Amino acid sequence: MNPSKRFVHGREAREDVELTRRCDVTLILSAVLLLGIGLVMVASSSIEIADRGTGDPLYYFKRQFIFAVFGVLAALLLTKVRLAHLERSGMFLLFLMVALLVLVLIPGMGRTVYGSTRWLELGPLGIQVSEIVKLLLIIYLAGYLVRHGQQVIESFTGFVRPMLVLLILFTLLLLEPDFGAAIVLLVTALGMFWLAGAKILNFVILFVASAASMAVIAVSSPYRMERLTAFLNPWSDPFGSGFQLTQSLIAIGSGSWTGLGLGASVQKLFYLPKAHNDFVFAVIAEELGLIGVAVVLLLFLVLIVRCFAIGKKVEEKGMKFGALVCYGIGIWLGLQVFINIGVNMGVLPTKGLTLPLISAGGSSLLVVCMAIGLVMRVHMEGVAEGSGLVRRFRNS
């Protein structure tokens, strides 16, 4: 190898090592604690159903643990990827998102569960593509807003153009159908546009159009209308459409201040469907009580606040792409936590959205870990901005 090239590669390696030492301890600690709580609660909430279904009481725990290991490794890998490379990958990410959402709809490639085709079959594994698309969309939109932010702010045409991309993704998600993921994508994207400086009038026009469209979609599908209205009075049909929510409310109410004790949940014993997945929060409330719930909520608050704080810090240093990535991830995680807990408590219609880092679900866990790794990378480059390392990254 050319001596000058060896020198350049050696310098870049030293710079990467220097960046790796610059970690946000608060972000990492909150994520690790949530991940640990999640593993414990998945084990606790799934023992009975795993034993009956597979003969192995720890089947879901082992599966979640494996995905947690891969998630941590993927997060570490992303801390090595320079933001400049991600910023330039917009068209590739757009193609990848559309390709994944189309592939899952092809018979034989997508796996249908409970009437929805959301999982792409990859040998023995099933990957929920909407989880991957959430992170890819944030990276894509952050890069788009850096390149075309002025057009988005100044003209309605510039604001609408990226919305056409969202419309394509939204439509493909509804074909699965995955209404919950579509809502998360839309709100996250709008939040990023708002923080990028888009005019409020554009949001009003888009909100009215979106609300009207979603109302038509909901009314046109009997099963969606049933799910949207069942939460209003689940006790009117406690053994039918309101069964899952009534069992969740019983679990939450049973927990009181300190809970029944870890592993002592009654509702997980085949009363509460998806106790280890979408409704793991209800089991947390039942076993750990209000105190345990408060700890979990505090950790989520710390994690989400750190995403926004890191975004604000790097934005002040001129790293707009990194800032928008952090904002997008913060909005996404905060929104998904809000919806999942709202569903468990009966204040929102039932949606198949996991509680990040806690619910059983390999795709969700893997992608959320990657998102946290990406926020960490933004923090590393932001801290190193003053040393000149990042400027050399951008020019490399």
Side-chain angles (χ1 to χ4, degrees), residues 4 24 36 52 129 135 141 173 247 284 312 314 323 328 336 360:
S4 62
D24 188 299
R52 175 173 292 187
V129 296
L135 181 57
L141 286 180
L173 284 169
Q247 299 304 312
I284 293 174
K312 185 176 185 299
V314 300
Q336 194 152 320

Side-chain angles (χ1 to χ4, degrees), residues 36 100 123 177 213 226 277 283 315 319 346 366 378 380 384:
L100 286 172
S213 301
E226 183 179 347
N277 192 269
V283 179
E315 186 176 22
M319 296 173 58
L366 183 64
V378 174
M380 290 174 178

Side-chain angles (χ1 to χ4, degrees), residues 44-115:
S44 175
S45 60
S46 66
I47 285 179
E48 296 297 332
I49 189 172
D51 188 33
R52 175 173 292 187
T54 68
D56 181 2
L58 296 178
Y59 172 80
Y60 290 107
F61 166 76
K62 292 174 182 176
R63 191 172 184 275
Q64 188 79 346
F65 182 80
I66 292 171
F67 275 104
V69 171
F70 280 110
V72 171
L73 292 176
L76 291 174
L77 182 63
L78 264 179
T79 62
K80 306 294 184 182
V81 179
R82 300 176 181 181
L83 297 181
H85 298 329
L86 294 176
E87 187 175 345
R88 292 193 293 263
S89 63
M91 290 307 297
F92 170 74
L93 295 180
L94 178 58
F95 172 79
L96 182 59
M97 286 187 288
V98 174
L100 286 172
L101 291 174
V102 169
L103 282 174
V104 79
L105 296 174
I106 297 176
M109 299 197 70
R111 185 176 71 194
T112 302
V113 180
Y114 298 119

Side-chain angles (χ1 to χ4, degrees), residues 25 28 38 50 72 96 166 183 195 199 206 215 234 300 328 333 360 369 371 378:
V25 177
I28 294 176
V72 171
L96 182 59
L166 287 176
I183 294 296
L195 292 171
K199 295 178 181 178
L206 184 65
F300 273 123
L333 294 180
C369 286
V378 174

Side-chain angles (χ1 to χ4, degrees), residues 121-140:
E121 293 285 5
L122 296 175
L125 296 177
I127 303 298
Q128 191 169 350
V129 296
S130 61
E131 297 294 337
I132 301 173
V133 169
K134 290 173 187 175
L135 181 57
L136 296 184
L137 179 65
I138 290 170
I139 299 171
Y140 168 77

